[in-house]
Amino acid sequence: MSRARALVITTVLACCILVCFGKAPCLDTLPIGVWRTVLHEEPNIMLQKLGAVSDDPAVLTRTYLSPAHRQASQLLKAWMQAAGMDSWVDAIGNVHGRVEGSLPGPATFTGSHYDTVVDGGKYDGALGIIAGIAAVKALVLEAAVARGALTREEAARLPVDPALGTTALPTTLNASALLRRSLRVVGFADEEGVRFQSTYLGSRALAGSLAASGALDARDGAGVTLREALAAEGAGDEAALRALGVVPSAARAYVEVHMEQGPVLEAANSRLAAVSGIAGQARLAVRLAGSQGHAGTVPMALRRDPLPGAAEVVLALERLCAPGEDGAGTGLVCTVGTLALWPGASNVIPGLPVTSSLEWARGEAPTLAFTPVTMRRTLVFPAPTPLRHPDPSSSAWISGAGPTRSARPRCASRWRRWRASAPAAGWTASGSCGTRPPPCWPTRA
């Protein structure tokens, strides 16, 4: 995206938020140069500055509770304060900006997430937070000039904070006295779920469902639970996390600006569109066990190679989500994002374990039935043709984690149905045919 286009789009988005906050901007109140600064130049400066906060100097990677993640939270907090908001970082890591407003009543919320995937984009999530900050700052400035708290000349000569790269409103301005309605901007700490494979931690906390979801027992790659990681951050106990929830009656509305993460608008030659639905996600970790061996000496008929089994899982998922013969899709999108082999050598048959991550999503709940606590989805995999093997004690079978190439005699039907379930601690899968080694091991001819 070019700098000029980013500035134009950020301006349009910020003005949309202004309208959603309940007040259309009056362009005559402030000098045009102030509007350009607040809604054009500063948002782009913030996007570039936040996009440089990364744990990896080569690519943008800012995962939950990493050093870059903590740095980004403090930067967002400072920008919110410079826009006239009270700001704080809560126990889960969400960054809050608030203007109470002079009238009692629920607040209008906006925001997005500030964590990223590995090698992420600088507009993903960050655009929604920064557009919200710009909208609030413009509202406060407009109200300050309209009510005589600032002159037009003073608004045009706001000092630039070198550390932030943006102007800062005078600390003497009382934004809550200037605005009638309460406004909230939230930078959600975790949406991507990269570290704990448990998405939407930040918004779950705001919705009050984090503690009950079981996500606190999710583990990262080092075996650290979310509960332990939060304790190390001084986040407090489970009761403190429950207290982060906002009751529905306290929210008047929520609006989020987000970049499109796909080619649909580009293909339609459209720059903006209203979101028609939000995709729910279901994730499954599959672990297939095999028997490691030398690639040059183990005959094909005697191999227990789990990689072909993993390939069958990938292709089965592709079939599940592929459009039909009429070109009509199911609405599902399915992805295998990781595949790990051991030992990963060209002359070694992979052994234990071969693991992969599966994800499927859709914006309509009837197809992807889910709640914040559990998600369920039935997958159907074709069973391979059984062939006899002389070693019934082989340990090459899937270990309680999903579709397998093995089949007991009573399960040697054309189709095998597997159900993926989501217990509190994370995704596992169980097979209708059990997990013990069968008396006759199926292999490929």
Side-chain angles (χ1 to χ4, degrees):
M1 182 184 296
S2 68
R3 177 184 175 88
R5 186 178 181 188
L7 294 178
V8 171
I9 291 179
T10 303
T11 299
V12 174
L13 297 179
C15 287
C16 289
I17 293 178
L18 287 171
V19 175
C20 292
F21 278 163
K23 184 179 186 302
C26 179
L27 297 180
D28 293 335
T29 305
L30 296 174
I32 191 63
V34 176
W35 289 113
R36 184 182 302 278
T37 297
V38 175
L39 297 181
H40 268 180
E41 297 169 359
E42 290 188 351
N44 195 69
I45 291 171
M46 289 189 280
L47 284 168
Q48 304 305 319
K49 196 173 185 68
L50 186 61
V53 180
S54 174
D55 291 302
D56 187 336
V59 296
L60 177 54
T61 300
R62 190 168 58 238
T63 56
Y64 183 54
L65 296 182
S66 70
H69 188 267
R70 297 186 191 95
Q71 182 183 348
S73 69
Q74 294 305 307
L75 188 56
L76 290 171
K77 177 183 174 182
W79 280 329
M80 291 177 182
Q81 291 171 336
M85 290 180 271
D86 295 327
S87 185
W88 70 96
V89 181
D90 68 20
I92 199 69
N94 292 337
V95 186
H96 297 259
R98 177 179 61 197
V99 176
E100 282 294 356
S102 59
L103 296 179
T108 298
F109 285 74
T110 189
S112 195
H113 63 98
Y114 67 95
D115 68 319
T116 75
V117 296
V118 177
D119 194 8
K122 66 179 67 174
Y123 300 105
D124 182 10
L127 180 62
I129 305 171
I130 289 171
I133 294 173
V136 172
K137 189 172 184 178
L139 277 175
V140 173
L141 265 176
E142 183 191 20
V145 172
R147 298 195 177 198
L150 285 177
T151 66
R152 287 168 57 92
E153 291 72 21
E154 289 172 332
R157 296 196 305 267
L158 292 176
V160 175
D161 187 328
L164 303 180
T166 64
T167 58
L169 299 186
T171 56
T172 55
L173 279 182
N174 184 352
S176 295
L178 294 171
L179 299 184
R180 300 177 63 192
R181 296 188 180 275
S182 297
L183 308 176
R184 296 278 296 270
V185 180
V186 184
F188 292 110
D190 175 273
E191 187 233 38
E192 304 291 1
V194 173
R195 178 174 176 183
F196 291 99
Q197 294 299 304
S198 183
T199 55
Y200 309 120
L201 297 179
S203 53
R204 284 183 184 182
L206 196 70
S209 61
L210 176 65
S213 70
L216 292 174
D217 296 317
R219 295 182 181 273
D220 63 10
V224 178
T225 66
L226 174 59
R227 189 189 308 274
E228 293 167 343
L230 292 175
E233 297 286 323
D237 57 11
E238 193 167 311
L241 295 175
R242 293 181 187 276
L244 300 179
V246 174
V247 295
S249 60
R252 177 171 175 261
Y254 176 83
V255 57
E256 177 169 345
V257 172
H258 206 283
M259 60 169 288
E260 187 198 31
Q261 294 174 290
V264 177
L265 289 182
E266 184 179 4
N269 197 28
S270 298
R271 294 188 175 186
L272 296 173
V275 175
S276 59
I278 298 176
Q281 296 182 13
R283 293 183 179 183
L284 177 65
V286 177
R287 183 172 182 266
L288 293 93
S291 180
Q292 187 171 319
H294 195 284
T297 58
V298 180
M300 296 299 292
L302 302 181
R303 294 189 179 198
R304 300 295 172 265
D305 188 344
L307 184 54
E312 291 182 8
V313 173
V314 174
L315 293 175
L317 200 65
E318 285 288 304
R319 287 191 294 269
L320 176 69
C321 298
E325 294 182 358
D326 58 355
T330 62
L332 285 169
V333 290
C334 307
T335 305
V336 177
T338 64
L339 184 63
L341 307 178
W342 180 262
S346 60
N347 62 339
V348 179
I349 301 168
L352 177 68
V354 171
T355 59
S356 62
S357 68
L358 281 60
E359 176 179 300
W360 54 93
R362 180 170 177 165
E364 298 179 12
T367 299
L368 179 65
F370 72 97
T371 69
V373 180
T374 62
M375 298 182 186
R376 293 173 181 262
R377 181 67 192 172
T378 300
L379 300 178
V380 178
F381 295 90
T385 304
L387 295 176
R388 299 187 63 85
H389 185 269
D391 182 12
S393 64
S394 170
S395 62
W397 76 94
I398 189 167
S399 179
T404 175
R405 300 183 65 209
S406 65
R408 292 183 180 181
R410 64 183 177 86
C411 301
S413 59
R414 172 59 184 156
W415 298 98
R416 182 181 305 116
R417 184 174 295 270
W418 291 87
R419 179 167 294 278
S421 61
W427 284 92
T428 61
S430 57
S432 60
C433 300
T435 57
R436 294 188 179 183
C440 295
W441 192 261
T443 63
R444 293 290 183 191

